[in-house]
Amino acid sequence: MSSDAPTESGKPRLNLMFSNLELVIAVLLGLVSIATAYASFQAALYDSQMAGSYTKGSTQSTEAESLYLEANQQFLEDTQVWNRLAELDIEKDSTDAAIAADAAGKYDTLTFQAVSTDFAAAIARADAENTADATVYHSPLDDKEYQSTLFGSYAETQAKSVATISQGDVYNSFSDRLTLNTVLMSISLFLLGIAALVRQFRVQLVLMSTGVVIFVVAAALTAMIPYVGL
C-alpha cells in the first residue's frame, strides 16, 4: 500500500501540468494564428503594390520609347537640314555671284523654316568652337546641350521607369519573404495542433517547443519587413 501512495499523490500534479500545458498551447495557437493572418495579409498588400509598380513602370517605359522615337526623328531631320546647310554654305563662297546669292537666300530661308531655337544655339556654339580651334571640327549635332534638350525628356522618363520597376522588385521580394514566413507559421500551427491532441507530456512538450521555435524565427523575420498599409 505504501508503494502506491506516491503514484496516487502524483496524479493530481501530473493532471495539473497537463492542464496548464494545454492552456499554454491554446494561447500559442491563437497567437500564431493571428501572426499568420497578419503575414498573409501583408504579403497580399505587397503583391498589390508590386503589380501597381510594374504596371506604372511599364507605362512609363512605353512613354519613354515614344519620346525617344520622337526625339530621334527630330535628330534625323536636323541632320538632313545641317547637311543641306553645309552644302549651301560652300555654295555661298562660289565665284559665281548668282550661285552665291541664290545659295545665301536658300540658306537663310532654310535656317528660318527648319532650324529650331535649340539647334540654332548649337550651330552658334559649334561655329564659335570651330573659329577658336580650326584643327578640330565641331559639329552642332554632337553638342551636348543640344542632345540633352532633345533627348532629356526620354532620359528622365526612362529613369523613372527603371526606378518604378526596381521598386516593384523590392515589393516582390517582401511578398515572397512574407509568404515564406506564412508557411513557417503554418508549420508551427500544425505542430501546436498535434501537441494539443497527444496525451503524452514529453511529446507535447517537444512538439510545442519545436512549434514555438519555428514561430519565433518566422515572427522575427516578419518583423524585419516594413509594414504596408491599405
Side-chain angles (χ1 to χ4, degrees):
M1 298 295 293
S2 61
S3 62
D4 295 335
T7 303
E8 294 296 333
S9 62
K11 286 183 179 180
R13 181 179 299 178
L14 188 60
N15 290 336
L16 180 60
M17 293 176 63
F18 268 118
S19 177
N20 290 338
L21 190 60
E22 289 174 354
L23 177 60
V24 172
I25 292 174
V27 173
L28 287 173
L29 281 170
L31 180 62
V32 176
S33 297
I34 293 173
T36 303
Y38 168 81
S40 178
F41 180 63
Q42 286 291 293
L45 289 180
Y46 272 117
D47 275 339
S48 177
Q49 296 275 1
M50 174 197 67
S53 294
Y54 283 159
T55 300
K56 183 177 179 181
S58 178
T59 301
Q60 289 173 333
S61 179
T62 302
E63 181 182 355
E65 291 177 4
S66 176
L67 290 172
Y68 175 80
L69 292 174
E70 180 180 347
N72 190 59
Q73 179 63 33
Q74 182 61 50
F75 180 78
L76 293 176
E77 292 177 1
D78 287 345
T79 300
Q80 293 176 349
V81 169
W82 176 244
N83 290 336
R84 180 55 179 156
L85 287 175
E87 293 175 358
L88 292 173
D89 193 42
I90 295 174
E91 292 179 5
K92 285 195 301 181
D93 296 331
S94 174
T95 55
D96 189 323
I99 295 178
D102 182 63
K106 290 180 179 179
Y107 187 97
D108 293 339
T109 301
L110 186 61
T111 300
F112 177 76
Q113 293 180 343
V115 177
S116 65
T117 302
D118 294 327
F119 192 38
I123 293 175
R125 287 190 294 270
D127 288 342
E129 291 175 348
N130 288 325
T131 301
D133 184 7
T135 60
V136 179
Y137 175 71
H138 300 86
S139 172
L141 296 171
D142 298 329
D143 185 78
K144 292 183 178 180
E145 186 175 340
Y146 160 70
Q147 290 196 358
S148 176
T149 302
L150 199 60
F151 293 97
S153 297
Y154 154 73
E156 182 180 351
T157 305
Q158 182 65 18
K160 289 181 179 179
S161 171
V162 172
T164 303
I165 293 177
S166 296
Q167 186 61 52
D169 292 337
V170 173
Y171 291 148
N172 183 40
S173 176
F174 285 155
S175 175
D176 290 343
R177 289 164 58 186
L178 284 167
T179 300
L180 175 60
N181 296 341
T182 301
V183 172
L184 293 176
M185 291 180 186
S186 298
I187 294 174
S188 177
L189 278 174
F190 173 75
L191 294 175
L192 291 173
I194 296 298
L197 296 177
V198 299
R199 307 310 304 167
Q200 296 183 12
F201 179 76
R202 289 185 178 179
V203 176
Q204 275 191 322
L205 191 60
V206 170
L207 290 173
M208 184 190 74
S209 299
T210 304
V212 169
V213 170
I214 294 175
F215 168 68
V216 170
V217 172
L221 293 174
T222 300
M224 295 171 61
I225 298 175
Y227 169 81
V228 58
L230 292 173

